[in-house]
Amino acid sequence: MPAEHDAPHEPAAPAVTGPVPDLQLQMLVRLVGQDPQAALPLTLVIGGGLLYGDLISHEAWTTDWARRLRGVDGPGAQLLEHFPEQVDQVVADERGRLAGQGLPQWLHLRDATSVAATGRAVVMPLWRGRLGDVSGWSLGKPE
């Protein structure tokens, strides 16, 4: 009878982990999402830089984004004519499929300013980002 030996220890399949959003920030985003007219000044730390602007609801961001897309000129602009509605349909389908996840995974800023380590500011009329990418935040904007 052959001698039994322990099989080499094989690690379990690697665990896939994603960034964990801050629960308080998620709750704040959800609260602002209840009123499309609401806007709160917010400063975020993302990737070592600062980003600040007015936190707005997904609905307000989507409305402004669609308005901006319709204002695009030049070759290919006609491709964007129905794009906001197509995105809305896919989002609605996904929400139906993922009903019960509850807390938001994305946040939206209006009049966002990004300041990198170089100190150079970049201003964006609309910004959307993952909550899991935020490493710190504060109510208010830098003076």
Side-chain angles (χ1 to χ4, degrees):
M1 188 166 216
E4 290 188 35
H5 62 302
D6 291 328
H9 175 37
E10 293 186 29
V16 178
T17 60
V20 178
D22 179 282
L23 181 61
Q24 290 176 335
L25 184 55
Q26 281 183 301
M27 298 293 291
L28 185 63
V29 170
R30 184 167 76 175
L31 180 67
V32 169
Q34 294 173 3
D35 181 359
Q37 304 304 314
L40 288 176
L42 191 66
T43 299
L44 309 169
V45 177
I46 297 180
L50 283 181
L51 177 70
Y52 57 91
D54 292 321
L55 177 65
I56 59 174
S57 69
H58 178 262
E59 183 180 340
W61 181 86
T62 301
T63 300
D64 286 357
W65 182 65
R67 187 177 310 119
R68 289 184 180 283
L69 282 177
R70 289 189 179 95
V72 172
D73 290 329
Q78 76 281 0
L79 297 173
L80 298 175
E81 186 176 332
H82 297 290
F83 188 62
E85 290 81 10
Q86 292 169 346
V87 170
D88 286 347
Q89 183 58 52
V90 171
V91 168
D93 292 347
E94 284 296 307
R95 280 189 182 147
R97 190 174 65 79
L98 301 173
Q101 283 195 337
L103 292 174
Q105 300 299 310
W106 298 87
L107 72 155
H108 305 86
L109 299 179
R110 181 181 291 136
D111 299 326
T113 301
S114 175
V115 182
T118 61
R120 183 169 175 245
V122 176
V123 179
M124 299 163 279
L126 291 173
W127 180 88
R128 171 182 163 94
R130 288 187 315 169
L131 278 157
D133 291 336
V134 175
S135 60
W137 63 278
S138 175
L139 283 176
K141 298 178 194 176
E143 294 182 15

